[in-house]
Amino acid sequence: MATLQTSTLSAIRSQQNQLLNDWIDGLEASGATRNLKEQDLKQQTSEFLSLIVNGLERDSGQNIAAAGWDEIRQFLEKLSHSRALLGQDSHQTANFIFALKGPLFNLLQREYKDNPATLAEQLWEISELLDALGMHTIRTFQKSRESVIKRQQEELLELSTPVVKLWDGVLALPMIGTLDSQRTQVVMESLLQRIVDTGSEIAIIDITGVPTVDTLVAQHLLKTVTAIRLMGADCIISGVRPQIAQTIVHLGLDLQGVVTKANLADALKLALTRLGLNVTKAV
């Protein structure tokens, strides 16, 4: 198996500044520098090229999973995560690596212009290494992007299910949109935690903003009601519109033992009554 020649490493070391300038020009021409600060780009390209040279000098081979490439793998993982946060796609991120091929190939062509066999051999070695690093970058980018998307989805779920304190001992959870298993889990966790934090005795789940109630949605509601009761609190479901009531009856869903009200005002009135409070208009 061919290996990189000492003369190849010497050429890369001696021409690092020119390689960096050509590399950055190529990145800018391809649009891979979108949302990147000039100083950050210069720092990243310089660090990456230095890490490649260090790895090659240690004769780390082409297996980038080897210990000799630990530093460059960590660099690429950090790079991928930062690019995902900046909103770049996998193509732009991987192109950071692949854009280095052109300047390196030009350098090798000048170095081995009189030795075609060695030139082909060295081009292959460099190409194989950069391809492996590029694929590693794509894999880590995808993982980072998935992590960012998952966190954003969780934050949106939390924002879409705010737990509101209506009165001392009374919490309300206005639901908007469709209920699914993931959202139900977030609802239960946030609501149960608020019950513990506030010591509330009654929780009102308002489904005025829930477009439809089917068997699955009803099951999710019942699970939430059961969890609330296990915490020693009571639960009232408000916002049961005529259409939803008809759907529940048509599906034959069993909501026995669950107190329901047509609107949030009626639910709050019932909650206050259960707390022994009576609200009247001031004369």
Side-chain angles (χ1 to χ4, degrees), residues 41-226:
L41 180 62
K42 288 183 178 180
Q43 188 273 329
Q44 290 169 354
T45 51
S46 177
E47 182 177 354
F48 180 75
L49 188 57
S50 296
L51 289 172
I52 283 185
V53 172
N54 292 339
L56 293 174
E57 287 178 340
R58 289 194 292 266
D59 193 21
S60 301
Q62 300 294 339
N63 181 14
I64 64 168
W69 297 110
D70 284 348
E71 291 183 26
I72 203 166
R73 288 199 311 273
Q74 293 171 4
F75 168 85
L76 291 176
E77 288 161 9
K78 182 179 178 181
L79 176 79
S80 298
H81 182 68
S82 66
R83 297 299 173 84
L85 292 176
L86 288 173
Q88 290 199 345
D89 57 28
S90 58
H91 173 76
Q92 289 174 301
T93 305
N95 195 52
F96 174 82
I97 310 297
F98 297 138
L100 180 56
K101 280 188 176 185
L104 279 174
F105 286 3
N106 291 335
L107 173 64
L108 293 177
Q109 286 174 335
R110 293 193 300 270
E111 183 71 18
Y112 299 108
K113 61 182 179 180
D114 298 326
N115 193 340
T118 303
L119 172 62
E121 176 186 283
Q122 296 301 286
L123 287 175
W124 177 260
E125 288 297 305
I126 287 292
S127 183
E128 285 279 281
L129 175 61
L130 291 179
D131 285 347
L133 294 173
M135 292 305 297
H136 179 75
T137 303
I138 291 174
R139 288 192 296 270
T140 55
F141 175 87
Q142 290 174 336
K143 291 180 181 179
S144 297
R145 189 61 180 161
E146 288 170 1
S147 176
V148 170
I149 292 173
K150 183 179 179 181
R151 190 186 72 250
Q152 291 174 339
Q153 288 176 335
E154 291 173 349
E155 290 173 351
L156 286 174
L157 282 174
E158 292 175 358
L159 290 173
S160 65
T161 54
V163 180
V164 182
K165 184 176 180 180
L166 295 181
W167 204 275
D168 288 339
V170 182
L171 296 177
L173 177 66
M175 300 294 299
I176 300 175
T178 304
L179 281 173
D180 56 25
S181 299
Q182 182 182 8
R183 191 175 183 197
T184 301
Q185 185 64 30
V186 174
V187 167
M188 279 199 285
E189 290 177 358
S190 59
L191 184 53
L192 295 178
Q193 186 59 51
R194 284 284 284 165
I195 289 173
V196 172
D197 295 340
T198 62
S200 298
E201 302 174 33
I202 299 175
I204 301 173
I205 300 178
D206 183 69
I207 61 172
T208 303
V210 177
T212 59
V213 173
D214 54 18
T215 304
L216 187 59
V217 171
Q219 289 175 349
H220 290 321
L221 285 173
L222 289 174
K223 287 179 181 179
T224 305
V225 171
T226 301

